[in-house]
C-alpha cells in the first residue's frame, strides 16, 4: 500500500494541478478539456461534447485552449517539485498531452514566477496606458518559445494591414453571429482597440482608426511552421506561457483567434507581413490604463 501511495498524486497535489488547469484562458471560457491523473501522470484531453456549434467553438480554438491548460499543468507539476516528461501525441485524439512526473526536481525561478501569475492573469478588455513596452521586457515575454513556434511583433507601420484583414474577416463574423456587430456597439472611435473581441458584441476598430492610433499597445502574432494538431497545442501553450510572463512583468494582455479561422485570412496575413509561419493567435500587450 505505501508503494501505491508513493506512485500516486496526493490529494493536495491533485488540487494544485486541477486549480492550475481550471484557470487557463479558453475560448468563450468553455474550458474544453478534461484532466485525468492516474499514477503520477497527468493526461489532458480535449472535450468535443460541450454543445457549442462548431462555428463558435472550432477545433483550432479548442486545441489552443488545451495548449494553454497544458502550460498551466506543466507549471503545476514543476512547482510541486517534479521534473516533467511532456508528450503531445500526434494522432490519439481526444488525448492532447501526457505530462509525467519524472523524478524530483526543484522549480526554476521563472517557473515559480509564472505559476504565481496564473491566478492574476485575465483577459484585458480595457484601454492600455500610453507607456510603451520596452524591447527587453518584450524579449522576456516572447523570447523563449518552444521549437516550431515563432512570434512576430507587428511594427507600427503594419497595424493598418493587420486591421484591414481582421476587419474583412469580421464582416463574415458578424454574419455568422447574427444581429450583433459594429452598428450596435455604440462605441465608435472611442472603443478601446479590440476589446471583447470574441463576445457577441465583437468589435474591431476600422483599419483607418487603427492605423492612426498611437502605438500604446504591442501586438504580436504567434505562428507555427505547420498547421496540425500538435502545433496548435504548442501554440496555445506558448501563448499562455508568454501571457504569464507578461503578467509577472506588470503587463496585461488579451488574445484573439476568430478572424484567423479563415484560411484566406491566414494566407494573406502570412504573405503581407512576411510572417515566420502560419498565424495562429494574435495577442495585444501593454500596461493597463489607470494604475
Ligand atoms: C484560443 C482562444 C481564443 C480567444 N479568442 C478571444 C477573442 O477573440 N476575443 C476575446 O475577447 N477573448 C478571446 N479569448 C479569451 C477568452 O474569452 C477568455 O480566456 C475567457 O473568457 C476566460 O476569461 P479570462 O481570460 O479573463 O480568464 C480567447 C481565448 C482563447 C484561449
Amino acid at each position: 500500500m505505501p508503494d501505491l501511495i508513493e506512485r500516486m498524486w496526493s490529494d493536495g497535489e491533485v488540487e494544485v494541478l486541477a486549480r492550475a488547469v481550471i484557470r487557463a484562458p479558453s475560448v468563450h471560457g468553455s474550458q474544453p478539456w478534461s484532466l485525468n491523473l492516474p499514477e503520477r501522470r497527468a493526461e489532458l484531453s480535449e472535450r468535443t461534447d460541450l454543445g457549442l456549434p462548431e462555428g463558435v467553438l472550432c477545433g483550432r480554438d479548442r486545441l489552443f485552449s488545451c495548449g494553454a491548460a497544458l502550460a498551466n499543468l506543466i507549471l503545476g507539476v514543476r512547482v510541486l517539485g517534479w521534473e516533467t516528461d511532456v508528450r503531445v501525441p500526434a494522432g490519439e485524439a481526444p488525448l492532447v498531452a501526457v505530462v509525467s512526473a519524472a523524478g524530483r526536481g526543484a522549480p526554476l525561478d521563472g517557473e515559480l514566477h509564472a505559476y504565481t501569475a496564473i491566478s492574476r492573469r485575465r483577459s484585458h478588455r480595457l484601454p492600455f496606458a500610453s507607456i510603451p513596452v520596452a524591447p527587453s521586457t518584450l524579449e522576456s515575454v516572447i523570447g523563449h518559445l518552444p521549437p516550431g513556434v515563432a512570434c512576430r511583433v507587428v511594427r507600427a507601420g503594419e497595424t493598418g494591414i493587420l486591421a484591414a484583414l481582421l476587419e474583412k474577416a469580421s464582416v463574415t463574423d458578424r454574419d455568422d453571429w447574427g444581429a450583433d456587430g459594429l452598428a450596435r456597439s455604440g462605441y465608435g472611435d472611442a472603443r478601446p482597440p479590440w476589446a471583447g473581441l470574441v463576445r457577441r458584441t465583437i468589435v474591431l476598430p476600422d483599419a483607418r482608426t487603427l492605423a492612426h492610433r498611437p502605438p500604446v499597445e504591442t501586438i504580436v502574432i504567434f505562428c507555427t511552421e505547420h498547421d496540425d494538431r500538435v502545433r496548435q497545442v504548442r501554440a496555445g501553450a506558448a501563448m499562455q506561457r508568454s501571457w504569464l510572463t507578461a503578467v509577472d512583468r506588470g503587463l496585461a494582455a488579451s488574445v484573439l483567434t476568430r478572424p484567423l479561422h479563415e484560411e484566406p485570412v491566414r494566407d494573406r496575413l502570412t504573405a503581407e507581413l512576411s510572417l515566420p509561419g502560419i498565424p495562429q493567435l494574435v495577442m495585444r500587450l501593454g500596461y493597463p490604463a489607470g494604475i
Side-chain angles (χ1 to χ4, degrees), residues 22-33 57-58 60-69 118 120-125 173 194-199 202 236 239-240 243 253-259 261 280-282 284:
I22 214 165
R23 286 182 172 144
S26 60
V27 63
H28 296 287
S30 57
Q31 305 193 332
W33 53 69
L57 178 60
C58 82
R60 315 175 67 81
D61 279 345
R62 231 181 353 248
L63 291 172
F64 297 143
S65 303
C66 288
I118 287 177
R120 285 179 284 132
R121 182 218 57 83
R122 51 190 50 83
S123 295
H124 185 77
R125 297 193 166 93
D173 245 6
W194 300 0
L197 275 179
V198 92
R199 302 296 165 88
I202 186 165
M239 173 277 291
Q240 170 67 354
W243 198 339
S254 61
V255 295
L256 152 73
T257 55
R258 195 164 167 80
H261 291 176
Q280 304 288 9
L281 298 119
V282 178
R284 53 191 283 263

Side-chain angles (χ1 to χ4, degrees), residues 9-24 31-47 49 66 68-77 80 94-100:
W9 302 108
S10 69
D11 289 350
E13 286 176 320
V14 167
E15 186 163 344
V16 167
L17 299 179
R19 278 181 189 276
V21 166
I22 214 165
R23 286 182 172 144
Q31 305 193 332
W33 53 69
S34 65
L35 180 65
N36 280 320
L37 297 168
E39 299 174 5
R40 280 216 186 269
R41 291 197 312 281
E43 297 173 352
L44 192 71
S45 300
E46 66 173 317
R47 285 187 60 189
D49 61 334
C66 288
L70 174 62
N72 282 14
L73 177 62
I74 293 169
L75 287 170
V77 176
L80 289 171
L95 188 64
V96 165
V98 180
V99 181
S100 305

Side-chain angles (χ1 to χ4, degrees), residues 169-190:
S170 79
V171 172
T172 321
D173 245 6
R174 289 200 297 280
D175 292 348
D176 288 349
W177 282 77
D180 292 314
L182 287 172
R184 290 186 46 191
S185 74
Y187 285 97
D189 277 3

Side-chain angles (χ1 to χ4, degrees), residues 233-255:
V233 172
R234 287 200 180 136
M239 173 277 291
Q240 170 67 354
R241 196 60 164 77
S242 297
W243 198 339
L244 294 174
T245 306
V247 169
D248 184 53
R249 302 286 193 279
L251 295 165
S254 61
V255 295

